[in-house]
Every structure is written in structure tokens, then in C-alpha cells.
Amino acid sequence: MSLKLIFVKGFMPTNCTDIARGMSLLREAEKCLGNIQKFNKTLNTFINSVRDERLLLDRVKESDVRRESGKSRSPIEGRLVAIKDNICTLDYPTTCASRILKGFNSPFDATVVKKLRDSGAVIVGKTNLDEFGMGSHSTHSWFGAVKHPQTGPNGEALSPGGSSGGSAVAVASGQCYAALGTDTGGSVRLPASYCGIVGFKPSYGLVSRWGVVAYANSLDTVGVLAKDSKTAKDLLNVISGYDSQDPTSVPVSTRTKIADLRAGRQKKAPLRIGVPLEYNVEELSPVIRQVWLMTLQHLQRVGHKIYPVSLPATQHALSAYYVLAPAEASSNLARYDGVRYGTRNGAGDAVGGVLYAGTRGQGFGDEVKRRILLGAYSLSAEAMDNYFIQAQRVRRLVQQDFDRVFSLPNALSPSSNNDLTPEETEEAHTPPTVDVLLCPTAPTLPPTLESLSSKPPLDAYVSDVLTVPASLAGLPAISLPVKFDGEGSDMRGEVDSVGMQIVAQYGDDELVFDVAELIEEWGRARSV
């Protein structure tokens, strides 16, 4: 099928990753710290950044010595890594960008943070975010909105995406080598798309959630933000692995099963790349549709096969997500009462005869309150069947849609096994199965912060329409930047790329990175 038929209907600081090539770790760290001094106040990237630069640089010097002697513990040893402030750390407060957790200090490191430290990475600070991870533009923070490192066509401040906006901006503006974020419905991929960097969400359960402040347990996933897919992959290799402290961590037996399925897959070139027709939404910006088509045309030119596929449950995915996620959040956030956690309100504490009403009323921001109310209602006796149960059914349909189009069986869903090879499905005239899906990450370019302030809060939810389906199904997905082609647009300003999203079957994270590298190689060739 013709691809065209499928589609009918500031400033840039020196980047730490660029510096890393041929430069000592110490010099790289000094550049990152310089960028923090230069840009943090303007961009509002960090809630808490490095306190003792001398101690930090001493650690980096030690890593330099080990690297020169060939004894580095990992590829990220001595690199400065930022942590989203909903991931617990011993040496920095964990606030979740909320007043109710002001000054809270965790007595332990999250598993992912411990693994980073064990690998020799240096934690440079805790990044700003939407309060408790609830938002798409990093504007719902008690510490103020995060600013995009680039500006709009008239110099307007742009949204960096959310909720991991601080982590994305820290990477994009060279304030760290890489960063960790959390992705519930797109909170790593959306800011990566807006900021022109790579954002990867692994398969659910591949990376431990122990020590991550919960928003929606069945959706939360620790993700990675970096300047390129190789760096993201290096971090993933460090933080992934089974963790007995996390009940949702994928056990070793299942990881072995996934490896066996991948090993049994026929090694074939070309790749079979699916184009989900339902992702060509009406709200899709023309420039994003153009880059999507351009990317697919390149992959087709170099020999890969392109197939249109249908994921009919996609049209209900966003609605289901905004029932399920707030429902889980309303339960998770019940613990913040100023008695066990957080800052207690001194005056008028027992409003309406409830001990913690005043504390929660003043401690939570408007968006968090909105989602708690939405979730509490959907879990109520009168609404449970019509909302929460129906949303769970939609979630299962979304998972089944993905299982139907991927050639690799889902290790968690035996019923998804496809006995026919891709070639046999063609001969049988059945719908084709594919290796990966390629689609945009966001329907539009980053909006201005001013335009967001004039829109109803619920309008921001549409930003997640292309990222939520993969989250509901727990699939691995990466957003990587693809530069514009052709003349400029009045809507672009300093923004020069669009985020393209690659989605694969559950556990097929390695293939996601392989396809990302193909697109990055093409991007490097275009820039020469």
C-alpha cells in the first residue's frame, strides 16, 4: 500500500553528551555544573541540586582514574545523572513537587538510585515535575512551572511537557548527562518529544518501582531521558533487573521466557513496521504528519516493509486511562495526612470534624485534588460498574489489539501466540503482523505556557492521546527526535524536531533500541 494512502484524511548550551566524546569525566562534570549555574534559575529545572560541588567532583576524579586504568564499573561511571523528585533518595529531600511533602527526607534510596550509585553514576540533584506526576506540561508544581530551553516564534515560553519536564529540560540544556523520570501515561515520552531528546519507557515491571512514590501502581514505570538511544540503553542496562522488594517486578522465570521468545524469532531483514491508522488523529499537526510520513518513506527506501494496522480500541484508551489512573491515585494519596507523612497544617486542622482535612486541603494542588475527586467518584458504589469496570475492560481490549498485530507473542498472554509466521499470514490473506509500530509521540508541537493558562484543565489531557495506549498495555516505547525537513514554519520558533515513537511487543525492548538506532543514523546522515 502506498504510504500516501495511509495518511489521507533561545539558546542551546553545550551538551554533556557531546562533551563526553574525547573529554575527561571531570571536564564533562564541570561543564554540566556550569550549565546548572547558568540555566537552573531561568528554567526552574531542579528542586534540589548538588550541595557540595567539591565532594561531587572528587567522586568524578576517582571515576576518571578508574576509567583510565580500564576498571570502570559501567559506561555511566562518573556521569552526572538527575533524578525526578518522586523517586526516593537518601541525600536529597523527596517532595514530589508538593507542599504536603515539603522537607520530607527518605530513609532509603529507591532501587534504581541504588543501582545507579553502585554503577558509579553521580546523582546531581532532584528535578522538578508536575505534582505527584499528575500533568502533561510540568506546570502543576508547588515550586513553579518548568520552562522549555527553547522559545516560540515570538519568543514565548514553551511547555517542556510533563510530568517529567524537569528531567527532560535538564538533559536538553546540558545540566546533566542523563536523567530518570517516571512514565504513567507518557510522562517520559511527551517531554522528550517536546524538548528534542530521547525518552524511553521500558516494559512494565522490567525496572523496579521500589522507592518510587506511587501515582498509579499498575501503570507507573521508571524511564530514562538522554540525548541519544545508546545513552538511554546504557542506563536501562544498569537499572533493570528483578527486585524482590517490588511485587510488580517481573520475575527471573518470565524474563527467561521473554529471552527465549526473542531468540526463537526468525532473524529477518527487512523489518515489518506497522502504521497504526487510528493514530492519524484529527488533532495531528500537519508538520508532525509530514515528519511521520518522511520517516516511514526513508525506512521503506532502505528496504523495510511498511504495513497499515488497525488498533480499534485506541479511540477509547485515553478515556479509560483517565478513569483508571485517578482511581489508583485517590487510593495511593490517602496516606498523605500530615500525621504519617508530610507537613501538617497548624491552624484549623479539623475542618468539618476531620483531623487532616485542613492539611490535605492546603497541601495538595488543584490538579491533584481534581484527580483525587475523579478517582474517588469512579470507585464509588454507584459509579464502579459504569466507569472503573468498563475502563478495565477497555484496557484489556487495548492489550489484545497490540497482541493481535505484533508477530512476537506476549510472554504474559499465552492466548496471543501467533502460530503463523509473517510470511504465512500474507499467504493466508490475514491481517499482517509486524515487528514494531511507528507513530508520533505527541499530536502537536509544544504549546506556549500562556496558551495553556487560558484553556480548561481537561484540554491538557489530550496531549497524552498517542502515548497512553502503550502504557495501558505495559509495552516498551521510545520517543526520539526527527528534524524537520524543508522550509520553516511560523508555528515552530526555535523548535526544530518532532518526536517519533517506536512501540514493540511486551519484553521486546531491545528491538525498540535497534529501530531507534536506524532512525538516528539516518538523522546523522541528513545533518552532514
Side-chain angles (χ1 to χ4, degrees), residues 122-200:
V122 180
I123 308 304
V124 71
K126 305 291 287 291
T127 56
N128 205 351
L129 66 149
D130 284 300
E131 185 179 6
F132 284 100
M134 300 182 190
S136 300
H137 299 287
S138 297
T139 54
H140 303 296
S141 168
W142 186 52
F143 299 93
V146 181
K147 304 291 178 59
H148 196 294
Q150 297 170 314
T151 59
N154 299 311
E156 311 99 317
L158 297 176
S159 163
S163 62
S164 304
S167 290
V169 171
V171 173
S173 58
Q175 298 180 56
C176 62
Y177 177 74
L180 293 188
T182 56
D183 193 307
T184 305
S187 293
V188 162
R189 290 162 287 158
L190 183 63
S193 174
Y194 282 179
C195 292
I197 62 171
V198 169
F200 177 70

Side-chain angles (χ1 to χ4, degrees), residues 444-503:
T444 66
L445 296 176
T448 65
L449 294 180
E450 183 180 1
S451 69
L452 294 173
S453 64
S454 62
K455 294 180 179 178
L458 296 182
D459 282 11
Y461 296 179
V462 180
S463 302
D464 301 327
V465 66
L466 303 179
T467 55
V468 156
S471 293
L472 287 177
L475 304 182
I478 195 170
S479 175
L480 69 158
V482 176
K483 299 287 186 181
F484 296 138
D485 196 18
E487 299 180 359
S489 164
D490 293 339
M491 299 300 293
R492 299 175 189 175
E494 294 179 354
V495 176
D496 62 355
S497 68
V498 163
M500 285 290 115
Q501 184 178 202
I502 303 162
V503 183

Side-chain angles (χ1 to χ4, degrees), residues 133-136 183-187 215-216 219-220 316-327 371 391 394-395 461 464 467-469 471-472:
M134 300 182 190
S136 300
D183 193 307
T184 305
S187 293
Y215 164 17
L219 295 160
D220 292 342
H316 305 298
L318 189 67
S319 300
Y321 172 82
Y322 278 105
V323 171
L324 298 174
R371 299 198 190 196
V394 169
R395 182 177 191 175
Y461 296 179
D464 301 327
T467 55
V468 156
S471 293
L472 287 177

Side-chain angles (χ1 to χ4, degrees), residues 1-54:
M1 178 180 289
S2 166
L3 286 178
K4 290 186 178 180
L5 291 179
I6 296 176
F7 286 88
V8 170
K9 296 204 179 178
F11 56 81
M12 286 307 296
T14 308
N15 180 266
C16 293
T17 309
D18 297 331
I19 295 166
R21 299 184 178 94
M23 182 173 288
S24 73
L25 295 173
L26 178 61
R27 181 64 176 149
E28 175 190 330
E30 289 173 341
K31 287 287 186 179
C32 289
L33 293 176
N35 283 335
I36 291 176
Q37 291 292 328
K38 188 174 182 181
F39 302 124
N40 185 38
K41 287 186 178 180
T42 304
L43 303 179
N44 201 23
T45 311
F46 286 93
I47 292 175
N48 286 287
S49 59
V50 60
R51 298 167 179 171
D52 189 336
E53 290 190 7
R54 181 176 298 179

Side-chain angles (χ1 to χ4, degrees), residues 31 100 104 108 139 148 154 156 176 186 188 208-209 227 285-286 304 359 373 440 459 491:
K31 287 287 186 179
I100 205 165
F104 171 71
F108 55 82
T139 54
H148 196 294
N154 299 311
E156 311 99 317
C176 62
V188 162
S208 172
R209 292 191 307 111
K227 288 296 289 184
S285 168
H304 301 295
T359 294
L373 290 173
D459 282 11
M491 299 300 293

Side-chain angles (χ1 to χ4, degrees), residues 326-348:
E328 294 188 36
S330 69
S331 175
N332 283 324
L333 269 60
R335 71 193 69 177
Y336 303 106
D337 52 16
V339 178
R340 293 166 291 179
Y341 298 97
T343 303
R344 185 166 179 172
N345 176 42

